[in-house]
Amino acid sequence: MSEQPLPTLPMSRVDHIEPSPEMLALRANGPIHRVSFPSGHQGWWVTGYDEARAVLSDAAFRPAGMPPAAFTPDSVILGSPGWLVSHDGGEHARLRTIVAPAFNDRRVKLLAQQLEAIAAQLFETLAAQPQPADLRRHLSFPLPAMVISALMGVLYEDHALFAGRSDEVMTHQHESGPRSASRLAWEELRAYIRGKMRNKRQDPGDNLLTDLLAAVDQGKATEEEAIRLAASMLVAGHESTAAQIEYGLLAMFRHPQQRECLVGDPSLVDKAVEEILRMYPPGAGWDAS
């Protein structure tokens, strides 16, 4: 009697804001499942809350960088020097220290003020559009692009370049195959950041690229690490924020009673944001972790 084929990750969602039916069916049959990956390798998928908590709190399961080459033969960003999510422990702490100045209290307060001003301007523009308006064009895409531009110290006019490359870099990261377009976009993004970072020698400022250049000069990071740190923050910061805005709004439409509660009591906004982040996290278009 032949064995049943294993479920394969990632599982695409029929409805991007809800878990895939296949994932829900597996979870109903237990908290731990044997699965296969696009590379043909096999592994374990933990879907139970208590079991996932136990795994994530156990150092034996923490990532130590890039998986074996045969496991992700054409990965564009996973395991790259400076890609924070590919490292843990001391290496992760070292990389975080390099970017820490960009997120000190003074900088974060200033960035929060800039964000509020940008958001108010975008909401005003959105409200002036013929209804129904394009949320992505007028809010969810430009808002994170403007904020990440301010954080990094680059012109907002460059957003079309880096946002487009960012989008391509993240396309099909969890699939097998050559991903030539993603690889080209990653190289172009790194070249863009390399040039902008080197320009900070003549035009330094209170921004991430200036901080990274200082870290290179002080021997705390190689230039390649600094470039990839900036690139990874740009990719993750723009893509995840744009998606989160869209998922959050969709969640409000899907749950009108919750929306009415929030409209009636704006003091609930912080709790609402936390709940949206919990229920509809960035990367919610597929089930893989």
Side-chain angles (χ1 to χ4, degrees):
M1 183 174 180
S2 61
E3 295 183 3
Q4 291 292 324
L6 294 175
T8 300
L9 296 182
M11 295 177 181
S12 297
R13 299 185 175 194
V14 177
D15 180 340
H16 278 209
I17 201 170
E18 302 294 346
S20 67
E22 189 177 3
M23 180 269 191
L24 293 176
L26 278 178
R27 189 177 67 176
N29 290 327
I32 303 176
H33 308 275
R34 191 73 171 170
V35 295
S36 65
F37 299 94
S39 62
H41 290 77
Q42 296 182 4
W44 294 98
W45 193 21
V46 180
T47 60
Y49 176 83
D50 292 334
E51 292 78 9
R53 186 181 179 91
V55 168
L56 293 173
S57 61
D58 190 332
F61 292 97
R62 291 176 184 166
M66 186 66 178
F71 186 78
T72 51
D74 283 302
S75 179
V76 176
I77 54 178
L78 295 178
S80 296
W83 188 254
L84 280 167
V85 298
S86 293
H87 302 281
D88 210 335
E91 180 63 9
H92 185 87
R94 182 182 72 85
L95 293 172
R96 284 177 62 92
T97 299
I98 294 171
V99 299
F103 300 97
N104 62 36
D105 289 344
R106 181 182 62 80
R107 293 254 196 108
V108 169
K109 288 179 181 177
L110 178 60
L111 193 62
Q113 294 173 357
Q114 292 175 301
L115 193 157
E116 290 179 3
I118 291 169
Q121 176 187 350
L122 291 175
F123 275 119
E124 184 176 333
T125 300
L126 180 63
Q129 302 304 309
Q131 302 298 315
D134 187 333
L135 179 82
R136 183 168 182 81
R137 177 182 178 185
H138 297 292
L139 181 65
S140 65
F141 186 90
L143 178 58
M146 288 179 173
V147 174
I148 204 77
S149 297
L151 173 69
M152 295 186 68
V154 299
L155 295 175
Y156 171 68
E157 286 72 17
D158 291 351
H159 79 279
L161 184 152
F162 69 68
R165 301 302 184 277
S166 170
D167 184 62
E168 183 57 50
V169 165
M170 291 303 292
T171 299
H172 310 308
Q173 278 299 307
H174 296 271
E175 299 177 7
S176 59
R179 296 196 286 267
S180 300
S182 291
R183 191 173 299 279
L184 176 60
W186 180 238
E187 295 304 320
E188 291 175 344
L189 188 61
R190 288 169 54 215
Y192 165 78
I193 292 174
R194 180 181 290 107
K196 294 298 180 182
M197 189 170 73
R198 290 177 176 175
N199 289 344
K200 295 303 177 185
R201 291 197 183 280
Q202 286 71 45
D203 185 25
D206 216 6
N207 53 64
L208 177 62
L209 290 184
T210 299
D211 294 340
L212 290 173
L213 183 62
V216 172
D217 291 343
Q218 295 164 11
K220 296 179 180 179
T222 65
E223 183 182 61
E224 188 58 31
E225 281 181 325
I227 290 169
R228 296 196 184 207
L229 265 172
S232 64
M233 294 184 69
L234 191 157
V235 170
H238 182 267
E239 290 299 311
S240 61
T241 306
Q244 194 66 72
I245 292 171
E246 293 160 6
Y247 283 136
L249 184 65
L250 184 55
M252 290 289 100
F253 283 120
R254 290 286 181 85
H255 302 279
Q257 291 182 332
Q258 297 298 317
R259 185 175 75 247
E260 290 172 7
C261 287
L262 185 59
V263 172
D265 184 2
S267 69
L268 296 173
V269 66
D270 288 345
K271 292 181 179 179
V273 170
E274 290 296 326
E275 187 67 2
I276 288 171
L277 287 169
R278 184 182 73 85
M279 290 293 295
Y280 309 108
W286 38 265
D287 293 309
S289 58

